[in-house]
Amino acid sequence: MQIGLILVGFGNVARRFVRLLDERAARLEGEHDLTWRVIGIATRRHGAVRDLDGVDLTRALESADAGKSLGAHGESARDPLTSLFIRETVAAARQRTPDTPVVMVETTVLDIERGQPAIDHVRAALESGAHVISANKGPVAFAAHELLDVAARHGRAFFFEGAVMDGIPVFNLLRETLPAVSITGFRGVVNSTTNYIITAMEQGGEFGAALAAMQEAGVAEADASFDVDGWDAAAKTAALINVLMDGDVTPHAIDRTGIRGLTGEAVRGAVARDRRVRLVASAAWRDGRLAGRVAPEELPATDLLATLAGQQNALVLQTDLLGEIAIVQRGAGLTQTAYALLSDLVAVRRRL
Amino acid sequence: MQIGLILVGFGNVARRFVRLLDERAARLEGEHDLTWRVIGIATRRHGAVRDLDGVDLTRALESADAGKSLGAHGESARDPLTSLFIRETVAAARQRTPDTPVVMVETTVLDIERGQPAIDHVRAALESGAHVISANKGPVAFAAHELLDVAARHGRAFFFEGAVMDGIPVFNLLRETLPAVSITGFRGVVNSTTNYIITAMEQGGEFGAALAAMQEAGVAEADASFDVDGWDAAAKTAALINVLMDGDVTPHAIDRTGIRGLTGEAVRGAVARDRRVRLVASAAWRDGRLAGRVAPEELPATDLLATLAGQQNALVLQTDLLGEIAIVQRGAGLTQTAYALLSDLVAVRRRL
């Protein structure tokens, strides 16, 4: 079955995603009866392009890699233009080939104030009859319930595996492999940049140099505050609370302390006491309230979270039936993030 | 949708399974449109009972808990009688209610010589049109490909999540959440009894007392060799190789060293050097051959496997696309094992 893709955002993640689809094309078709065609691309600064017969991807990738405009429309797709572009593209595609499902792929940059304009993009896609897969945490961190309701009302899927721990299954893990289990709490290391900085300091490195290395590698955001002040971890914590524990919070409701206050001395002092500092994201029921927290914690060296080096992530889920289950991501990079979208796309295919 | 269940084996796991279904009945029906009726039970020593209208489970559980015969048939269901019982029960059920799927639940004791009679039970069920869920590792450790082929030929599901790490998703993890990913190797701690013994020795305990504690708790097999000589871990390693890596081995092909040779002195000596001994199950491609191995290994204290205490298990999967992914089971017990069957039953329901 062929699926029409609309890419909203065409940065590193989206470009790696379409290349990854290409690399795994034989398995996707052979094992999942899944082929695709990109019918639209919308970007913030490099215009938009639409072609129901299939966008010329080679040209689009070349233009984007070179930082040039996508051409076709010649104009940028600034919101609310992007939402309009999504609605029109979905409508045109559904009119022309009603049996070809459309999937909108959200990879715009997270806005930590309100999660916009990604929330509008997701709503526009679902309302006009497309499924949505998102590597952007904004929609699920700020508006999970509203958007899942919209999806259910329109009989469409809304998946977002990439919001936490890249393509390592977290949301899919619970949804697909742990039926009838409830999550009662969690703790994890979910931000790669801060874990890299902390473990570099354990080895004698200093904060600034480690942060610069992560920014150079394209892992840390250009705005260091996003990682260092715990905003990224708070957005992930909110997403996990909203989806795994049926909570209803935004990243601003998370009790958040970043790692700016950490010195190499303090981090190495912990090591000397056979302990480790980690930026821990957690959620628990306290006095009848579901409380989310992001803060540096000093852990025994044999704690699973303490063993995470560099960019490694892990999430320990507390369950009502199976005790604790942990999932650990030991490799990180653009491919892992792009893979989250691939696994979501297959999940959509399975629903059809 | 109602599913007819045939329980082959009615020991602790099967009994906990039917009680667990009952405890989670509302969620199974509400979230998965899944109800069930037990239409047959076959045991090795306590007879068999069949009732297409639904076996009286309260009575059957009471009889089994008390070690009494299930009554009805008055005779034990010795193989090949059990396979005949399965075929007849499936045929009768399908004739009477063709739209009600039948699932055979295999929980007989693992035979490490040949994996029998469980393999015959699975084949009989699949060939007569039932789906199969198995907590017994025998079929998948000894005959995975043959049985998966039989299942495919008859359009039936054959799931066995409980074969490794109880209900913690391993096979379901790969099948449901990691599409288009290949496993290139793995290492893990997959036997609870030996890990309990080793970590007890780290604390100053001795081998015999720790083993006795596990036998008393019903975790270790009565025949200590099964755990201590690495047979259980070898069966799990074979199952993982056959299913995750498309290998074709039996437990006898695994290079196997148990923990009988380990002394408390050696285990504590490793701790003194900031290292830990663990019974590691692993598989890797070596010189073009897929080699499985079970043996005690000395690991750095911060290795994920070294952090596993008591009955905890973990599996580190090496992948071609995402680097290493690990899944960790921190709680263990009868409920976890029974849950594997529940999650497999939901997976069957989703396939229908």
Side-chain angles (χ1 to χ4, degrees), chain A residues 184-335:
Chain A
T184 55
F186 63 82
R187 51 196 288 277
V189 165
V190 294
N191 178 268
S192 298
T193 295
T194 49
N195 205 62
Y196 180 89
I197 294 173
I198 292 170
T199 54
M201 292 199 296
E202 287 176 352
Q203 309 292 322
E206 284 305 327
F207 195 106
L211 174 59
M214 281 290 93
Q215 286 175 323
E216 208 160 298
V219 175
E221 302 292 323
D223 176 1
S225 165
F226 193 68
D227 293 303
V228 168
D229 293 328
W231 280 115
D232 174 72
K236 288 166 174 165
T237 304
L240 291 168
I241 287 175
N242 290 341
V243 179
L244 300 189
M245 300 179 73
D246 201 28
D248 191 7
V249 300
T250 78
H252 302 278
I254 307 301
D255 177 7
R256 178 183 47 80
T257 307
I259 66 163
R260 270 189 215 276
L262 279 185
T263 63
E265 210 172 15
V267 167
R268 291 187 289 275
V271 174
R273 292 190 303 279
D274 209 19
R275 297 174 72 81
R276 301 286 185 277
V277 176
R278 292 291 180 271
L279 184 67
V280 177
S282 61
W285 287 94
R286 287 196 195 91
D287 307 326
R289 249 188 84 251
L290 186 48
R293 183 170 182 262
V294 170
E297 292 183 15
E298 202 179 291
L299 309 169
T302 54
D303 186 292
L304 172 61
L305 301 183
T307 67
L308 300 170
Q311 300 177 48
Q312 296 177 351
N313 281 192
L315 187 65
V316 182
L317 299 169
Q318 287 128 25
T319 76
D320 64 336
L321 195 58
L322 303 174
E324 287 190 345
I325 303 172
I327 184 135
V328 185
Q329 170 177 27
R330 313 238 276 197
L334 197 53
T335 298

Side-chain angles (χ1 to χ4, degrees), chain B residues 72-291:
Chain B
H73 285 209
E75 57 191 334
S76 70
R78 286 199 174 275
D79 291 279
L81 216 58
T82 306
S83 292
L84 187 64
F85 176 88
I86 294 169
R87 287 180 198 274
E88 286 178 356
T89 307
V90 178
R94 294 187 70 202
Q95 187 169 20
R96 185 158 143 187
T97 48
D99 294 339
T100 301
V102 179
V103 174
M104 192 270 273
V105 186
E106 223 308 325
T107 60
T108 66
V109 176
L110 170 61
D111 151 51
I112 200 64
E113 283 305 313
R114 300 185 304 130
Q116 287 288 20
I119 293 171
D120 287 342
H121 299 165
V122 174
R123 197 189 292 112
L126 293 170
E127 284 178 352
S128 49
H131 305 272
V132 171
I133 62 181
S134 174
N136 184 333
K137 328 173 223 315
V140 67
F142 282 89
H145 291 286
E146 184 213 324
L147 296 172
L148 286 167
D149 283 351
V150 174
R153 256 200 327 275
H154 289 82
R156 293 298 180 268
F158 168 39
F159 295 146
F160 36 76
E161 189 55 65
V164 181
M165 283 176 66
D166 298 334
I168 306 313
V170 173
F171 301 107
N172 287 337
L173 181 79
L174 193 74
R175 196 182 58 231
E176 305 296 337
T177 72
L178 294 169
V181 166
S182 294
I183 303 299
T184 55
F186 63 81
R187 52 196 287 277
V189 165
V190 294
N191 178 269
S192 297
T193 296
T194 49
N195 205 61
Y196 179 90
I197 293 172
I198 292 170
T199 53
M201 292 199 295
E202 286 176 352
Q203 310 292 323
E206 284 305 326
F207 195 106
L211 173 59
M214 281 291 92
Q215 286 175 322
E216 208 159 301
V219 175
E221 302 291 324
D223 176 1
S225 165
F226 192 68
D227 293 302
V228 168
D229 293 328
W231 280 115
D232 174 72
K236 289 166 173 166
T237 304
L240 291 168
I241 287 175
N242 290 341
V243 179
L244 300 188
M245 301 179 73
D246 201 28
D248 191 8
V249 301
T250 78
H252 302 278
I254 307 300
D255 178 6
R256 178 183 47 80
T257 307
I259 65 164
R260 269 190 216 275
L262 280 185
T263 62
E265 210 171 17
V267 167
R268 291 186 289 275
V271 174
R273 292 189 303 279
D274 210 19
R275 297 173 71 81
R276 302 286 185 278
V277 176
R278 291 292 180 272
L279 184 67
V280 177
S282 61
W285 287 94
R286 286 197 196 91
D287 307 325
R289 248 189 85 252
L290 186 47

Side-chain angles (χ1 to χ4, degrees), chain A residues 24 27 169 173 175-182 302 304 320 322 324-328 330 336 339 350, chain B residues 24 27 169 173 175-182 302 304 307 320 322 324-328 330 336 339 350:
Chain A
R24 301 272 149 160
R27 290 189 65 172
L173 181 78
R175 196 182 58 231
E176 304 297 336
T177 72
L178 294 169
V181 166
S182 294
T302 54
L304 172 61
D320 64 336
L322 303 174
E324 287 190 345
I325 303 172
I327 184 135
V328 185
R330 313 238 276 197
Q336 276 83 348
Y339 177 77
R350 283 176 167 156
Chain B
R24 302 271 149 161
R27 290 190 64 172
L173 181 79
R175 196 182 58 231
E176 305 296 337
T177 72
L178 294 169
V181 166
S182 294
T302 54
L304 171 61
T307 67
D320 64 336
L322 303 174
E324 286 190 345
I325 303 172
I327 185 135
V328 185
R330 312 236 277 194
Q336 276 83 349
Y339 177 78
R350 283 177 166 156

Side-chain angles (χ1 to χ4, degrees), chain A residues 5-146:
Chain A
L5 299 177
I6 303 175
L7 310 175
V8 177
F10 199 50
N12 289 329
V13 173
R15 272 130 68 190
R16 182 72 190 95
F17 169 59
V18 294
R19 288 177 166 127
L20 188 58
L21 286 181
D22 205 43
E23 290 164 22
R24 301 272 149 160
R27 290 189 65 172
L28 291 171
E29 183 164 11
E31 296 168 19
H32 302 284
D33 183 22
L34 170 57
T35 61
W36 67 93
R37 177 168 57 184
V38 174
I39 58 172
I41 304 177
T43 71
R44 187 159 47 106
R45 288 180 307 183
H46 295 109
V49 57
R50 174 192 301 149
D51 187 339
L52 298 186
D53 291 324
V55 169
D56 181 343
L57 263 187
T58 310
R59 217 183 105 203
L61 285 166
E62 275 173 13
S63 298
D65 288 347
K68 288 189 204 154
S69 166
L70 292 175
H73 285 209
E75 56 191 336
S76 69
R78 284 200 175 274
D79 291 280
L81 218 59
T82 306
S83 293
L84 188 64
F85 175 88
I86 294 169
R87 286 181 199 273
E88 286 178 355
T89 308
V90 178
R94 294 186 70 202
Q95 188 169 21
R96 185 157 144 188
T97 47
D99 294 339
T100 302
V102 179
V103 174
M104 192 270 273
V105 186
E106 224 306 325
T107 60
T108 66
V109 176
L110 170 60
D111 151 52
I112 199 62
E113 283 305 313
R114 301 184 305 131
Q116 286 289 20
I119 293 171
D120 287 343
H121 299 165
V122 174
R123 198 188 293 111
L126 293 171
E127 284 178 352
S128 48
H131 305 273
V132 171
I133 62 180
S134 174
N136 183 333
K137 328 173 225 316
V140 66
F142 282 89
H145 291 286
E146 183 214 323

